[in-house]
Amino acid sequence: MAHLEVTSSAQLTILLALKDRVPFTERWLAYAGKHLPFRVLVADGGSDDAVARLVRERPFTELDLEYVRYPFDSTYADYYAKLADALSRVKTPYVVMADNDDFFIRDGLTRALEFLSTHPDHVACGGQCALFWVGGASAPAGADTRYGDAVVWKCSSQMMSDVADTAEQRLRERCRGANDVFYAVHRTDLLRSHFEAVRDCGPHDLFLMEELVMFLTAIAGKARQLDTLYIARQQDSPGSSAGAHEARFGDWYDRMLVPTWSGDFTRFVDGAAAALMRADGIPHDEARRTIVESYKMSVAPFLLADVLDEPTVSFSTPLMLQVVKRLVKLPRTSLVRRVAQRLYRRTQWLSHDFVHGTEFRTRRAREAAGEFRPVREFLANAGRHDS
């Protein structure tokens, strides 16, 4: 395998997109100066000049650092425009997105660069993600979680790579996996085009933006996740954009009911379907159906977790629904299906809503048998009603 000269910043730019949280930015830059010998482009959309003063007063001479001041990210449209413009400034062949409460692992980035340099059919490469907490479970609200000696961390063993030959297959592979590619190393020209598409789509939902980047990456080419620790993401840092979005608009289930959702999702599907049509040469209806099916696979686990919080959903609801759906999918000639159907229809104390998982046991109204008799008799004598 060819070995890159990764100690210079000629190959990779880390794009650090900022909106306030200056203490975490200072921590990130201090860590990068010690561990990340790559070019850093700071795209600052904060509410004041605090980061500009930080960079000016503490020049971080150990970093190959470029600072760009943008207008305040007052809307997501401003944020998307900032990212598209910042990516247009990147001159290295590879780029990676960064948040100021996360830490990249130098060897993970190096291996990702080496892999992409020798596999031209791949468009992105990353590795295993670690999640960490600084404050501890007993830390009071508002505690400083930038530093501490009680750091705990864990990671997922699900390493998903999208290596199919067609864009449709890669997209379905990606949406079955647990790890996204948003923070992977990307080829700069492709990630730039993805964020231009994000800017033009302009979703009001921040998480739909990340879904769009993931979809466009899978459509554009193969993506590899290496068996190496690649990034460490902090889970207890306050003031994140994702946390603020959830606090304002709610979980996945809530956000699908806001007034802007229908328009956002229509543009999301249209943009991703157009890319899939170009990549695989498939008809519009097939591309659109693939995008919708893939999206459903991607968000289903999160949506299920949110739905389970609803007061009408009991602990046993998912289990009952799985049993019912498996029975319904059996052939009509299946003995198991016919026996289950007969029991369901004839067991009087079994609720009709058992199939929806909302009620198990029921009882008939006191006079229900007699009151239903006219209906039964009418249906049993069809010939008498013909004119």
Side-chain angles (χ1 to χ4, degrees):
M1 177 181 290
H3 215 59
L4 292 177
E5 184 58 39
V6 295
T7 54
S8 73
S9 54
Q11 294 294 323
L12 176 68
T13 296
I14 302 174
L15 176 52
L16 181 62
L18 300 178
K19 182 181 179 180
D20 300 327
R21 299 205 303 173
V22 180
F24 281 92
T25 298
E26 184 174 13
R27 184 187 71 170
W28 192 96
L29 292 171
Y31 172 87
K34 291 179 177 295
H35 300 285
L36 301 177
F38 309 105
R39 183 168 177 76
V40 175
L41 173 59
V42 175
D44 182 13
S47 58
D48 56 32
D49 293 326
V51 176
R53 290 196 302 272
L54 172 66
V55 172
R56 184 172 60 250
E57 296 171 2
R58 182 182 170 184
F60 298 97
T61 55
E62 66 275 20
L63 286 174
D64 181 1
L65 178 66
E66 178 183 0
Y67 173 84
V68 181
R69 182 71 170 106
Y70 286 91
F72 176 53
D73 289 344
S74 59
T75 67
Y76 287 139
D78 297 328
Y79 174 59
Y80 302 148
K82 176 184 76 174
L83 293 179
D85 180 81
L87 283 163
S88 73
R89 299 169 182 265
V90 175
K91 306 304 181 186
T92 56
Y94 305 103
V95 65
V96 63
M97 304 293 294
D99 287 336
N100 65 356
D101 56 353
D102 300 338
F103 297 116
F104 285 109
I105 309 303
R106 173 177 175 169
D107 288 348
L109 286 177
T110 301
R111 289 186 59 183
L113 283 170
E114 291 174 343
F115 183 89
L116 286 176
S117 71
T118 56
H119 294 79
D121 58 335
H122 283 66
V123 300
C125 185
Q128 191 171 49
C129 173
L131 306 176
F132 71 93
W133 296 260
V134 174
S138 60
D144 186 355
T145 58
R146 289 176 300 158
Y147 298 96
D149 58 2
V151 177
V152 293
W153 65 281
K154 64 191 307 178
C155 56
S156 168
S157 62
Q158 298 187 56
M159 306 299 294
M160 297 295 300
S161 294
D162 315 324
V163 296
D165 292 327
T166 69
E168 179 178 354
Q169 290 175 310
R170 289 193 300 271
L171 181 58
R172 292 184 184 276
E173 287 177 353
R174 169 51 44 199
C175 291
R176 290 189 186 99
N179 298 316
D180 65 43
V181 294
F182 191 86
Y183 295 99
V185 174
H186 292 255
R187 298 187 187 277
T188 300
D189 55 342
L190 288 174
L191 191 62
R192 182 184 299 129
S193 69
H194 298 341
F195 273 96
E196 289 170 352
V198 166
R199 178 197 59 201
D200 297 340
C201 177
H204 297 80
D205 189 282
L206 189 63
F207 297 94
L208 197 59
M209 175 273 289
E210 293 190 0
E211 287 282 317
L212 182 56
V213 173
M214 181 181 77
F215 274 48
L216 294 175
T217 300
I219 291 168
K222 299 176 182 179
R224 177 76 63 173
Q225 287 194 296
L226 304 174
D227 187 16
T228 184
L229 191 60
Y230 171 83
I231 188 173
R233 309 201 63 203
Q234 185 168 354
Q235 299 297 287
D236 60 348
S237 59
S240 69
S241 296
H245 189 82
E246 287 184 314
R248 181 178 179 185
F249 297 106
D251 57 30
W252 274 106
Y253 194 31
D254 293 321
R255 298 197 306 273
M256 291 171 66
L257 302 175
V258 300
T260 56
W261 176 260
S262 294
D264 281 350
F265 191 68
T266 297
R267 293 191 300 275
F268 167 86
V269 174
D270 288 345
L276 184 57
M277 289 170 60
R278 292 192 297 269
D280 281 356
I282 60 177
H284 175 267
D285 289 347
E286 181 180 347
R288 188 178 181 84
R289 183 171 59 253
T290 297
I291 297 302
V292 172
E293 291 174 354
S294 299
Y295 176 82
K296 288 166 64 178
M297 286 191 293
S298 177
V299 304
F302 309 105
L303 190 57
L304 175 60
D306 297 338
V307 169
L308 287 174
D309 282 338
E310 296 299 312
T312 53
V313 180
S314 67
F315 176 79
S316 59
T317 298
L319 177 60
M320 283 191 266
L321 290 177
Q322 287 189 58
V323 171
V324 170
K325 286 183 176 294
R326 288 180 183 275
L327 288 172
V328 170
K329 290 179 180 180
L330 291 174
R332 289 185 175 273
T333 56
S334 166
L335 178 62
V336 174
R337 173 176 168 151
R338 286 190 283 120
V339 170
Q341 187 180 71
R342 184 178 179 86
L343 287 171
Y344 167 68
R345 292 181 178 180
R346 292 180 176 271
T347 304
Q348 297 179 10
W349 53 263
L350 188 63
S351 173
H352 163 71
D353 289 317
F354 170 78
V355 296
H356 305 128
T358 57
E359 184 182 55
F360 179 69
R361 189 179 181 88
T362 189
R363 67 172 183 85
R364 290 180 176 180
R366 183 177 304 171
E367 304 296 333
E371 292 165 345
F372 188 77
R373 186 177 299 115
V375 177
R376 180 195 296 272
E377 292 175 351
F378 179 84
L379 294 173
N381 295 282
R384 299 181 183 178
H385 313 304
D386 295 337
S387 56

